[in-house]
Amino acid sequence: MHWDAAHMIYAAGAVTVIAAMLFRKGVIIPSILTTFLLGWAYKGGFSEGMLAGAAAVYNANIMAAKELFSIVLLIAFMVGMLNALKEIGADRKMITPVQGIIVNGHAAYWILFAVTAVLSTAFWPTPAIPLVAAVLLPAALRAGLPPMGAAIAITLAGQGMALAADALMQVAPALSAKAAGAPELVSAIWLKSIVLTLIVGVVAGVLSYFTIWKTIKKPVLLSHREERVSDTEAHPYAGWFAILTVLLFVLDVVGMIVFNIKGGDAGAIIGGTAALIMIAAVGVKHKGNAFEAVGERLSEGFVFAIKIMGAIIPIAAFFFLGDQQHSIMVLGDGAPGFLFDIVDSMKAYIPQNEWIAAFSVLLIGLICGIDGSGFAGLPITGALAGALSYGNGIDTSMLAAVGQMGSIWSGGGTIVAWSSLIAVAAFVGVSPLELARRNFIPVISGLVVATVCAVLIW
């Protein structure tokens, strides 16, 4: 296809924003300015184009805020619940049983990694992350693991390793196979994606561990006097609330298994449970003043969520315009998906060599992922895998699995700050942009190693 001015502006803006992130610069200004120029160029004309550009900035941010509000609400409910539990001392009671397992920061990193991977494989990361944050994260931080280390472990295991394989639901392999024009390859893509995501996860996890191990501190141990003071300050029902909180979340997990509830629906159950626990804990603590106190806890949750999300929304607003569905919402009917048009036009220039094809599909997947949705790029990587392997002996399922790794590890939430990575950053209390930067080299290294293995093995 022919690139018009709007497509060129989008491409230049994407490169500028990514480069600014890598050099640890703020990216809000280039995101907003590029959105303005994109709306102006798409509409055309001077006066009318400028007005359209200004409207595009506002409408794109409204669109992004709507898309991300489910994450904001989940963060608000979880933070409100955790603050309410902390107010009655139940948070300290919840930590006690797992302190014997999470003995230090090194163990905490790998336990968080393993538990997040298992839960995210079963239910997807959306409901898994709040569970980990509520039950394991406080103990991990007290054991000496720095907040950034905890965030890295959770994102690599959940939004990366578990989501990229999609081992139980198999939505991703099905999309890749269908796009490749070979639905019979679902099982082959599924198997290869599991092997490849394990390779990426191990490489990225080990590299990340060595980047943070020097920042791991000694466990925070309370003296007997401090423990007695803590027990005295705790509400009489603190122990019961610690048990109730864990029990309710366990029952949520059981219900998800029994009724086969996953993804966003499962996240809704976790969020609703957190809201109910918050109300109960506030009621026990404040009694007659609970109506006002609940509002305060919920406000604290929203303030915390907005503080994390405020800098992300303008960036997401720009990158979401790469997808046609979002672009139409901002620029009107007939608007293209700028990112996917650009990627589609690059396919014709990829040579049909096994190594070049594999790394090209990986690169295309990574580029598709920058819109913050790992699954949105699978139709393109799948179709590209089918086209590049047609009639030349290259394994279609291998290329499709490699493209799936690139798209989901990128957009699923490990190296793109405006994806579901935001939720992890919010729960742990770190900058989502800094978390994405810290994940970048380990994840890219893992993807390169996995791609090399894919070509050599298959």
Side-chain angles (χ1 to χ4, degrees), residues 300-379:
E300 291 168 359
F302 272 109
V303 168
F304 184 84
I306 295 299
K307 185 177 180 180
I308 294 291
M309 298 286 288
I312 297 300
I313 289 175
I315 309 170
F318 165 65
F319 279 102
F320 282 178
L321 294 176
D323 173 64
Q324 187 174 28
Q325 179 183 354
H326 294 121
S327 181
I328 288 173
M329 294 168 63
V330 175
L331 301 176
D333 293 337
F338 296 99
L339 173 63
F340 291 96
D341 280 355
I342 292 169
V343 170
D344 192 58
S345 68
M346 295 168 61
K347 293 192 297 187
Y349 300 98
I350 301 175
Q352 291 188 335
N353 170 277
E354 190 173 29
W355 287 94
I356 296 176
F359 278 96
S360 296
V361 172
L362 175 65
L363 178 61
I364 295 296
L366 287 167
I367 294 172
C368 289
I370 66 173
D371 78 331
S373 173
F375 282 69
L378 298 184

Side-chain angles (χ1 to χ4, degrees), residues 362 365-366 368-369 373-378 381 402-412:
L362 175 65
L366 287 167
C368 289
S373 173
F375 282 69
L378 298 184
T381 58
V402 168
Q404 182 176 311
M405 293 300 104
S407 184
I408 298 180
W409 270 91
S410 170

Side-chain angles (χ1 to χ4, degrees), residues 2-23:
H2 173 69
W3 286 20
D4 58 18
H7 285 84
M8 293 180 184
I9 289 171
Y10 185 91
V15 171
T16 302
V17 170
I18 293 171
M21 285 183 60
L22 293 178
F23 286 99

Side-chain angles (χ1 to χ4, degrees), residues 20-22 24-25 432-441:
M21 285 183 60
L22 293 178
R24 300 176 181 272
K25 300 295 183 182
L433 292 173
E434 182 61 24
L435 177 56
R437 291 189 192 104
R438 295 289 294 270
N439 283 339
F440 185 80
I441 291 178

Side-chain angles (χ1 to χ4, degrees), residues 36-214:
F36 169 72
L37 293 174
L38 185 63
W40 186 355
Y42 180 75
K43 183 67 176 179
F46 184 76
S47 300
E48 192 176 7
M50 288 187 67
L51 293 175
V57 171
Y58 180 81
N59 290 330
N61 278 270
I62 288 291
M63 174 269 296
K66 289 179 179 178
E67 292 291 321
L68 297 174
F69 185 73
S70 61
I71 298 176
V72 172
L73 189 60
L74 182 59
I75 293 170
F77 280 153
M78 289 298 298
V79 171
M81 178 200 74
L82 292 173
N83 286 348
L85 292 176
K86 186 180 296 184
E87 202 174 21
I88 63 174
D91 60 326
R92 294 191 294 272
K93 301 291 185 181
M94 290 171 61
I95 292 173
T96 303
V98 294
Q99 280 182 322
I101 303 173
I102 305 180
V103 293
N104 55 48
H106 303 277
Y109 178 87
W110 293 111
I111 290 172
L112 280 180
F113 191 96
V115 173
T116 303
V118 171
L119 290 176
S120 297
T121 297
F123 308 111
W124 279 15
T126 303
I129 290 165
L131 288 174
V132 173
V135 179
L136 293 181
L137 182 60
L141 297 179
R142 177 168 286 189
L145 183 65
M148 184 58 72
I152 289 171
I154 293 171
T155 51
L156 294 181
Q159 279 95 333
M161 192 166 68
L163 190 61
D166 193 15
L168 291 184
M169 295 184 68
Q170 301 183 34
V171 174
L175 284 173
S176 297
K178 184 177 180 180
E184 70 278 4
L185 292 179
V186 171
S187 296
I189 296 173
W190 173 76
L191 179 60
K192 290 178 175 64
S193 65
I194 292 175
V195 174
L196 294 180
T197 202
L198 286 173
I199 294 173
V200 181
V202 169
V203 172
V206 171
L207 288 177
S208 295
Y209 170 72
F210 282 112
T211 64
I212 59 98
W213 75 275
K214 287 186 177 180

Side-chain angles (χ1 to χ4, degrees), residues 92 142 220-227 230:
R92 294 191 294 272
R142 177 168 286 189
V220 178
L221 299 176
L222 296 178
S223 66
H224 291 299
R225 180 179 178 276
E226 289 174 322
E227 287 180 355
S230 295

